[in-house]
Amino acid sequence: TIAIGRSHSSSLAPRNRPTACWASIPSDLSARLGADSLVFGYLQTFFNVFQLVGNPLIGRLCDSRGAKVALQMCQISTGLSYVFLGLATSIPHLFLSRLPTILMQSMHCAQAFVAEFSSEEERSMALGRLSLSYGLGMAIGPVLGGMISEHTGPQMTALSAGLIMLLPIILNVNFLPQKGAGKQASAGQRGGSEGGLQLKQIVRVLEDQRCRTLTIFMILTGLGGQMYQSTFPMAATKLDISAKNLGFLQTFSALLGLVSNTFIVGAVEKRFSQTSIISSATGVLAGAFLLYSQSSKWESIVLVSAMLAMPSTIMYTTLTSMLTKSASRDNTATVIGLGHASRAACGIIAPTIGGFIMQQAGARGVGLSCLGSMGLALSYWQLSSKHLTWGAKKGEKEL
């Protein structure tokens, strides 16, 4: 239930993304309204700025008021954004439809729920199952959205997405618990005096070395991932990859992500430490980008997609688990929000950097730049994570 409303890519440092049946509407609608690629780029940046601001704030709201309240606010805002988009008749209206997306953080709230109601030993597996539900949405949404858009156009698809959002709102209001026992007791100890969206608390969370290490690492890997994601459509055009084959790649990556979250994450964490999993996944990603820099055939692109999809999905789930373990229960959603915010920040910076490199050096230059970003991230991880512990310590105080 709590997974309806947002989805994320299974490849390369997933970040918040719109509902699957809606995902292509902004580009289709902006083209119909006369926007060029530059204006659409501004629209994407506008969205990512709002995500960057909203993620840590909604995290603090989860911690102070409960994930259920925050989730309901996020789903209402998401529905409003779809409705505003469906009613848009001009480019300024498109930008106005992005305003509610500052609270489009349902995945964030769902992860906070999972972290609150699962043990540390089972958290990665539980987060993987949560990602599974989002992956199913990614498989069903494009088909449903394509059918609606084909017969009625993108605006009606957006309005339909807004209508669909009523279902998870009703289900969550009636079936989700308010707060876990541990969080209720903690709130009682504070006497309710620390509610609201506290920016100081966000800064205090970052003062913890574990949270700071994870955030910096996600920024370094996110830059490489976002440079690849933002420039791959241009590279695909130069490689004469058809729209049908691009769709195959998306489905292929999504399926690998589903398999990874459902069967691999839990099994791998039973045999290896989380720090070693992150190191190995980063190494595989670096190898994939090296191969991408040399790729000129369809077969090699498919191999690159496979090498990116599985380790990035495992790394994303493991990093989220480690984030929740690096803070007290009262700051769980805040640290998850910092993770999402770091990816949103990469979504603002990386497309510009990647576009410049693509223009100057082509896909080979982008691949090597992504390789450098992953190499830097791996070096930082090896140096910074050696002496850190990720499980909650007994009697640990709030950050």
Side-chain angles (χ1 to χ4, degrees), residues 49-130:
V49 168
F50 270 54
Q51 289 289 286
L52 177 63
V53 174
N55 270 307
L57 295 182
I58 205 68
R60 203 53 221 148
L61 181 62
C62 283
D63 288 330
S64 61
R65 301 302 184 195
K68 180 174 182 176
V69 173
L71 181 61
Q72 291 166 356
M73 292 178 60
C74 290
Q75 291 176 329
I76 292 172
S77 297
T78 300
L80 286 175
S81 177
Y82 298 157
V83 171
F84 292 162
L85 185 65
L87 298 176
T89 57
S90 65
I91 293 175
H93 289 167
L94 287 179
F95 281 86
L96 287 175
S97 72
R98 307 291 80 202
L99 293 178
T101 63
I102 192 170
L103 293 181
M104 192 183 272
Q105 317 287 348
S106 294
M107 179 59 165
H108 179 176
C109 297
Q111 288 173 329
F113 251 107
V114 169
E116 183 178 346
F117 290 96
S118 62
S119 65
E120 288 190 2
E121 294 76 16
E122 299 177 346
R123 190 163 299 165
S124 291
M125 188 177 297
L127 289 168
R129 290 169 181 166
L130 176 66

Side-chain angles (χ1 to χ4, degrees), residues 44-384:
Q44 289 179 303
T45 299
F46 192 63
F47 170 76
N48 281 309
V49 168
F50 270 54
Q51 289 289 286
L52 177 63
V53 174
N55 270 307
L57 295 182
I58 205 68
R60 203 53 221 148
L61 181 62
C62 283
D63 288 330
S64 61
R65 301 302 184 195
K68 180 174 182 176
V69 173
L71 181 61
Q72 291 166 356
M73 292 178 60
C74 290
Q75 291 176 329
I76 292 172
S77 297
T78 300
L80 286 175
S81 177
Y82 298 157
V83 171
F84 292 162
L85 185 65
L87 298 176
T89 57
S90 65
I91 293 175
H93 289 167
L94 287 179
F95 281 86
L96 287 175
S97 72
R98 307 291 80 202
L99 293 178
T101 63
I102 192 170
L103 293 181
M104 192 183 272
Q105 317 287 348
S106 294
M107 179 59 165
H108 179 176
C109 297
Q111 288 173 329
F113 251 107
V114 169
E116 183 178 346
F117 290 96
S118 62
S119 65
E120 288 190 2
E121 294 76 16
E122 299 177 346
R123 190 163 299 165
S124 291
M125 188 177 297
L127 289 168
R129 290 169 181 166
L130 176 66
S131 296
L132 169 64
S133 66
Y134 276 74
L136 291 174
M138 284 294 291
I140 299 171
V143 177
L144 178 60
M147 293 173 57
I148 297 174
S149 184
E150 183 179 357
H151 293 90
T152 63
Q155 288 177 303
M156 186 55 67
T157 306
L159 292 174
S160 299
L163 182 63
I164 290 172
M165 285 304 303
L166 290 175
L167 177 60
I169 292 172
I170 293 173
L171 291 175
N172 292 341
V173 167
N174 287 282
F175 295 106
L176 288 183
Q178 187 67 31
K179 283 187 179 184
K183 198 164 250 191
Q184 284 178 338
S186 179
Q189 291 171 0
R190 290 194 304 268
S193 61
E194 295 189 14
L197 305 178
Q198 300 169 42
L199 295 178
K200 289 184 179 179
Q201 191 71 12
I202 297 171
V203 175
R204 288 176 61 194
V205 166
L206 274 177
E207 290 176 353
D208 184 273
Q209 188 176 357
R210 296 171 299 177
C211 297
R212 189 167 60 250
T213 296
L214 288 168
T215 301
I216 294 174
F217 175 78
M218 287 189 291
I219 290 174
L220 293 174
T221 55
L223 282 174
Q226 291 300 326
M227 280 194 289
Y228 168 79
Q229 285 185 335
S230 62
T231 59
F232 182 73
M234 292 181 281
T237 300
K238 293 184 178 181
L239 292 172
D240 294 324
I241 298 176
S242 66
K244 180 180 179 181
N245 284 338
L246 280 175
F248 167 78
L249 279 180
Q250 182 181 17
T251 302
F252 179 61
S253 296
L255 288 175
L256 288 178
L258 287 176
V259 171
S260 299
N261 273 319
T262 306
F263 302 107
I264 298 179
V265 172
V268 167
E269 289 206 352
K270 289 180 180 179
R271 299 191 60 182
F272 305 99
S273 67
Q274 290 185 317
T275 52
S276 63
I277 291 172
I278 296 301
S279 297
S280 300
T282 309
V284 174
L285 292 176
F289 285 127
L290 177 60
L291 177 61
Y292 176 66
S293 69
Q294 309 299 320
S295 298
S296 58
K297 296 183 179 180
W298 165 249
E299 293 78 9
S300 60
I301 294 297
V302 174
L303 179 58
V304 168
S305 297
M307 291 177 66
L308 292 175
M310 297 188 74
S312 64
T313 302
I314 293 171
M315 184 169 70
Y316 173 70
T317 302
T318 304
L319 283 172
T320 303
S321 174
M322 295 175 78
L323 272 174
T324 62
K325 295 176 184 179
S326 67
S328 65
R329 295 186 69 89
D330 296 322
N331 289 310
T332 297
T334 300
V335 295
I336 293 175
L338 289 172
H340 285 287
S342 68
R343 287 183 283 273
C346 293
I348 296 172
I349 301 170
T352 301
I353 299 174
F356 176 78
I357 297 173
M358 185 72 182
Q359 188 179 39
Q360 300 297 319
R364 174 182 173 83
V366 172
L368 292 176
S369 299
C370 295
L371 170 62
S373 179
M374 291 298 166
L376 184 60
L378 181 57
S379 299
Y380 173 78
W381 182 252
Q382 293 290 341
L383 293 172
S384 303

Side-chain angles (χ1 to χ4, degrees), residues 4-46:
I4 299 175
R6 305 278 305 203
S7 66
H8 61 75
S9 170
S10 63
S11 175
L12 288 170
R15 59 197 174 107
N16 289 329
R17 289 185 184 274
T19 300
C21 68
W22 167 87
S24 65
I25 297 174
S27 59
D28 296 340
L29 189 54
S30 62
R32 291 194 180 198
L33 295 177
D36 56 19
S37 58
L38 182 62
V39 173
F40 182 65
Y42 290 151
L43 187 65
Q44 289 179 303
T45 299
F46 192 63

